[in-house]
Coordinates of all heavy atoms in Angstrom, one line a residue:
L143 N -17.1 98.7 -23.1 CA -18.4 98.7 -22.3 C -18.5 99.9 -21.5 O -19.6 100.1 -20.8 CB -18.5 97.5 -21.5 CG -18.5 96.1 -22.3 CD1 -18.5 95.0 -21.2 CD2 -19.7 96.0 -23.1
G144 N -17.6 100.8 -21.5 CA -17.7 102.1 -20.7 C -17.6 101.9 -19.3 O -18.3 102.5 -18.5
I145 N -16.7 100.9 -18.8 CA -16.6 100.6 -17.4 C -15.4 101.3 -16.8 O -14.3 101.2 -17.3 CB -16.4 99.1 -17.2 CG1 -17.5 98.3 -17.8 CG2 -16.2 98.7 -15.8 CD1 -17.3 96.8 -17.8
D146 N -15.6 102.0 -15.7 CA -14.5 102.7 -15.1 C -13.7 101.7 -14.2 O -14.2 100.7 -13.8 CB -15.0 103.8 -14.1 CG -15.7 105.0 -14.9 OD1 -15.2 105.2 -16.0 OD2 -16.6 105.6 -14.4
N147 N -12.4 102.0 -14.1 CA -11.5 101.1 -13.3 C -11.9 101.3 -11.8 O -11.8 102.4 -11.3 CB -10.1 101.5 -13.5 CG -9.1 100.6 -12.8 OD1 -9.5 99.8 -11.9 ND2 -7.8 100.8 -13.1
P148 N -12.3 100.3 -11.1 CA -12.7 100.4 -9.7 C -11.6 100.4 -8.7 O -11.8 100.6 -7.5 CB -13.6 99.2 -9.5 CG -13.0 98.1 -10.3 CD -12.5 98.8 -11.6
F149 N -10.4 100.1 -9.2 CA -9.2 99.9 -8.3 C -8.5 101.3 -8.1 O -8.6 102.2 -8.9 CB -8.3 98.8 -8.8 CG -9.0 97.5 -9.1 CD1 -9.2 97.1 -10.3 CD2 -9.5 96.8 -8.0 CE1 -9.9 95.9 -10.6 CE2 -10.2 95.6 -8.2 CZ -10.4 95.2 -9.5
Y150 N -7.7 101.3 -7.0 CA -7.0 102.5 -6.6 C -7.8 103.7 -6.4 O -7.4 104.9 -6.6 CB -5.9 102.8 -7.7 CG -4.9 101.7 -7.9 CD1 -5.0 100.9 -9.0 CD2 -3.9 101.4 -7.0 CE1 -4.2 99.8 -9.2 CE2 -3.0 100.4 -7.2 CZ -3.2 99.6 -8.3 OH -2.3 98.6 -8.5
R151 N -9.0 103.5 -5.8 CA -9.8 104.7 -5.4 C -9.2 105.3 -4.2 O -8.9 104.6 -3.2 CB -11.3 104.2 -5.0 CG -12.1 103.7 -6.2 CD -13.4 103.0 -5.7 NE -14.2 102.5 -6.9 CZ -15.2 101.6 -6.7 NH1 -15.5 101.2 -5.5 NH2 -15.9 101.2 -7.8
A152 N -9.0 106.6 -4.3 CA -8.3 107.3 -3.2 C -9.2 107.7 -2.1 O -10.1 108.5 -2.3 CB -7.5 108.5 -3.8
H153 N -9.0 107.2 -0.9 CA -9.8 107.6 0.3 C -9.2 108.9 0.9 O -8.0 109.1 1.0 CB -9.7 106.5 1.3 CG -10.4 105.2 0.9 ND1 -11.6 104.8 1.4 CD2 -10.0 104.3 0.0 CE1 -11.9 103.6 0.9 NE2 -10.9 103.3 0.0
Q154 N -10.1 109.8 1.2 CA -9.7 111.1 1.7 C -9.8 111.2 3.2 O -9.8 112.3 3.8 CB -10.5 112.2 1.0 CG -10.2 112.2 -0.5 CD -11.3 113.0 -1.3 OE1 -12.5 112.8 -1.1 NE2 -10.9 113.9 -2.2
T155 N -10.0 110.1 3.9 CA -10.1 110.1 5.4 C -9.7 108.7 5.8 O -9.4 107.8 5.0 CB -11.5 110.4 5.8 OG1 -11.6 110.5 7.2 CG2 -12.5 109.3 5.4
A156 N -9.6 108.5 7.1 CA -9.4 107.2 7.7 C -10.6 106.3 7.4 O -11.7 106.7 7.8 CB -9.1 107.2 9.2
A157 N -10.5 105.2 6.7 CA -11.6 104.4 6.2 C -12.0 103.4 7.3 O -11.2 102.7 7.9 CB -11.3 103.7 4.9
G158 N -13.3 103.4 7.6 CA -13.9 102.4 8.5 C -15.2 101.9 8.0 O -15.3 101.5 6.8
A159 N -16.3 102.0 8.8 CA -17.6 101.7 8.3 C -18.1 102.7 7.3 O -19.0 102.4 6.5 CB -18.6 101.7 9.5
T160 N -17.5 103.9 7.3 CA -17.7 104.9 6.2 C -16.4 105.4 5.8 O -15.4 105.2 6.4 CB -18.6 106.1 6.7 OG1 -17.8 106.8 7.8 CG2 -19.9 105.6 7.3
T161 N -16.4 106.1 4.6 CA -15.2 106.7 4.1 C -15.6 107.9 3.2 O -16.8 108.1 2.9 CB -14.4 105.7 3.3 OG1 -13.1 106.2 3.0 CG2 -15.1 105.3 2.0
I162 N -14.6 108.6 2.7 CA -14.9 109.7 1.8 C -14.0 109.5 0.6 O -12.8 109.4 0.7 CB -14.5 111.1 2.4 CG1 -15.5 111.4 3.6 CG2 -14.7 112.2 1.4 CD1 -15.1 112.6 4.4

Side-chain angles (χ1 to χ4, degrees):
L143 295 177
I145 302 175
D146 293 331
N147 184 352
F149 305 110
Y150 300 103
R151 293 171 180 165
H153 295 250
Q154 296 162 313
T155 186
T160 62
T161 190
I162 297 174

